[in-house]
Amino acid sequence: EKVWDQELGQWIDVDLVALEHEVAGYKLDDDSPAAGSSGGPSAPVVETEYYELLGVSPGATPAEVKKAYYKEARKVHPDKNPDDEGAKDKFQELQQVYQVLADPDSRKKYDKEGKAGVTAEKNVQMDAKAFFGLLFGSEKFVKWTGELKMAMQMDHFSKTVMSQDAEEPEDMDRGSEIVRKQQTAREVFCAVNLRDKVERMVYGRNLAGFEEQMRLEAHELAGAQYGPELLAVLGERYQLRAEIYLANELAGRFSMKKRWASMNNNWAMARHGVDFYSSAALSVYRLSGVRSAQKSAMKKAVKAAEQDPSVDVEAEQSRAMEAAFDSALPTWMKTAWYWVVRDIDTTVKNVSRKFLQDKSVPWQIRIRRAHALERLGQIFSEEAKAAAAAGPGEQTVTPEEVKAKIQEALMGSMRES
């Protein structure tokens, strides 16, 4: 069955192998899945201290450097090591190392000149992709979800803002094209990952081995921040997409089984949409509450200042605004999470089409892929439930906890430019 291409406005055949080669030629950011896998130079480097701190070789790819940084950053973060007085210094040192090795130009300079060549003062800015990866734990899920669209859009926005003062500002049309290509590369990257993951069951017919491998990986993924939640979303989406494909191919496009599968899928999408828009409306309401708190605090402070001239009106107003802002953080965080879920819904839909309707393999293989995807979804859902049951249970997230998570992600995503 052909797939509707929104850009071309026509039905097309999907060839995953051809798409894989196509996106490999895209010129994207170094962190993107399709950006290539070349690492450091083959020539000897002056020193390897930075690489040793991350536990990677001088020839490590950008993805390997990024993965190693996430792993080490969580280990040495001050909040995770309250009894270690040197934890803050270790974390800051790790940040500096990543800032150098994550930037291609800085890395080349370090390889040639060592630390002396990269100690010049630089501006510091947030790496949007690293920020959202740390905030939602999606760095562990990147093979399954790709880079979140929220991260790609913010990364593009920050680069656009920075280019406004440059001699040649970034072309908006070109920027939109890059984001579009990043999303396409993301979908292909995830489809290829699925193809490789299910190979043991599809070609090897080793169901037990496949289930064991996937259950072990799911168990590890569940340990990430938002791990059980991400597993639950992926598990549900995989099962629904597999059911729709199998019903369409085995029972027929207009069969009751296909209609039932499609209805379940639409219901799940609608439920996620309601969650997002309800939360978004509440976020807007909380924003108006922050503004109201500002006006109320201003009136009280002015009135207090009339009786006591020593009262600092601006300080009182700032304290009231900060308290109102902090109290709204859990709501805003929840809205951001529902946005992530909606993003994953759309992405998995397109990933599944590329994976299941791949004309580069016979129809028998596509059917086996669908069965494997369905079983993978079941495993993810089961591990998500097990992780949730083993956790502390349903708890109310406090503003302090949300603030700490944001600060941790922010500290870990700062890079020199």
Side-chain angles (χ1 to χ4, degrees):
E1 183 180 340
K2 294 188 176 183
V3 175
W4 178 258
D5 189 300
Q6 189 68 32
E7 294 180 13
L8 298 177
Q10 63 185 35
W11 295 95
I12 62 170
D13 285 321
V14 175
D15 186 327
L16 187 55
V17 175
L19 285 172
E20 188 178 6
H21 285 95
E22 179 184 334
V23 300
Y26 287 174
K27 293 183 178 180
L28 305 175
D29 294 339
D30 294 325
D31 288 339
S32 64
S37 59
S38 59
S42 57
V45 298
V46 173
E47 62 180 55
T48 60
E49 180 183 344
Y50 281 9
Y51 293 105
E52 290 170 0
L53 283 171
L54 288 183
V56 298
S57 68
T61 64
E64 290 170 340
V65 169
K66 185 176 184 179
K67 182 178 180 180
Y69 168 69
Y70 283 142
K71 183 179 179 181
E72 294 300 319
R74 291 194 180 280
K75 285 183 182 178
V76 304
H77 195 280
D79 291 345
K80 301 286 178 69
N81 301 275
D83 299 327
D84 185 356
E85 295 181 357
K88 184 177 181 180
D89 293 335
K90 292 177 185 176
F91 185 70
Q92 289 177 343
E93 182 181 21
L94 199 65
Q95 280 183 288
Q96 293 171 359
V97 168
Y98 178 64
Q99 287 165 5
V100 172
L101 298 186
D103 180 76
D105 294 332
S106 296
R107 182 174 177 178
K108 288 178 182 177
K109 199 167 186 180
Y110 172 74
D111 289 339
K112 291 180 180 179
E113 305 175 29
K115 286 193 291 186
V118 294
T119 53
E121 185 177 352
K122 294 185 177 182
N123 294 325
V124 178
Q125 65 182 47
M126 184 188 76
D127 181 341
K129 294 178 181 178
F131 174 76
F132 286 105
L134 288 168
L135 185 62
F136 292 111
S138 57
E139 79 279 0
K140 280 192 174 183
F141 283 83
V142 71
K143 290 181 180 180
W144 303 97
T145 65
E147 297 285 0
L148 298 176
K149 194 165 187 177
M150 183 188 298
M152 289 190 289
Q153 290 174 333
M154 184 165 286
D155 182 63
H156 169 60
F157 174 76
S158 64
K159 288 178 180 177
T160 301
V161 171
M162 289 190 66
S163 69
Q164 289 179 350
D165 296 328
E167 293 182 1
E168 296 184 4
E170 182 178 334
D171 182 12
M172 294 298 293
D173 291 336
R174 179 178 176 276
S176 299
E177 178 67 10
I178 289 175
V179 172
R180 184 192 67 78
K181 285 186 173 182
Q182 284 178 327
Q183 178 62 22
T184 300
R186 171 193 184 188
E187 294 166 4
V188 173
F189 172 77
C190 292
V192 169
N193 174 64
L194 282 176
R195 180 193 67 191
D196 296 342
K197 292 293 184 182
V198 304
E199 190 175 77
R200 195 170 188 177
M201 177 176 170
V202 172
Y203 291 100
R205 304 295 185 95
N206 185 354
L207 175 59
F210 168 74
E211 290 181 341
E212 181 182 9
Q213 178 188 352
M214 291 300 96
R215 201 170 290 282
L216 286 172
E217 186 159 349
H219 182 74
E220 182 181 350
L221 291 171
Q225 187 158 268
Y226 281 91
E229 292 87 348
L230 285 167
L231 276 177
V233 173
L234 286 171
E236 178 188 53
R237 300 311 307 158
Y238 288 162
Q239 290 179 76
L240 288 171
R241 297 312 306 180
E243 287 171 8
I244 289 175
Y245 180 80
L246 289 171
N248 186 72
E249 294 297 315
L250 302 180
R253 181 182 298 181
F254 303 107
S255 65
M256 286 301 299
K257 192 171 184 180
K258 168 66 183 299
R259 292 180 182 179
W260 181 257
S262 297
M263 186 176 69
N264 286 337
N265 176 71
N266 293 337
W267 168 251
M269 294 280 283
R271 174 165 47 84
H272 292 166
V274 170
D275 288 341
F276 170 71
Y277 288 114
S278 298
S279 183
L282 185 56
S283 290
V284 172
Y285 173 75
R286 296 305 298 266
L287 179 60
S288 66
V290 173
R291 293 173 178 171
S292 298
Q294 178 187 15
K295 294 178 181 178
S296 177
M298 184 68 172
K299 292 178 180 179
K300 291 181 180 179
V302 169
K303 189 174 181 179
E306 291 175 353
Q307 300 176 355
D308 182 1
S310 64
V311 172
D312 189 333
V313 176
E314 292 186 0
E316 292 296 324
Q317 185 181 13
S318 297
R319 276 193 287 270
M321 276 195 66
E322 183 177 357
F325 185 87
D326 288 350
S327 67
L329 280 178
T331 300
W332 294 339
M333 186 76 163
K334 183 177 289 187
T335 301
W337 163 248
Y338 286 139
W339 188 2
V340 169
V341 172
R342 293 267 290 172
D343 176 30
I344 293 176
D345 280 346
T346 304
T347 299
V348 171
K349 174 183 176 181
N350 294 329
V351 168
S352 299
R353 284 178 169 176
K354 291 175 173 63
F355 171 66
L356 295 175
Q357 297 176 338
D358 175 19
K359 295 301 191 294
S360 68
V361 296
W363 68 267
Q364 295 94 333
I365 297 297
R366 297 197 293 272
I367 294 295
R368 289 183 209 161
R369 283 184 179 180
H371 284 299
L373 185 66
E374 185 175 35
R375 184 65 189 118
L376 175 63
Q378 292 168 354
I379 291 172
F380 274 18
S381 296
E382 290 164 6
E383 289 300 318
K385 290 178 182 177
E394 190 70 25
Q395 290 184 324
T396 302
V397 180
T398 66
E400 291 75 19
E401 290 173 331
V402 175
K403 197 172 183 179
K405 288 180 180 179
I406 294 174
Q407 289 175 342
E408 178 182 344
L410 190 59
M411 287 178 65
S413 63
M414 300 310 293
R415 288 178 52 178
E416 293 178 345
S417 60

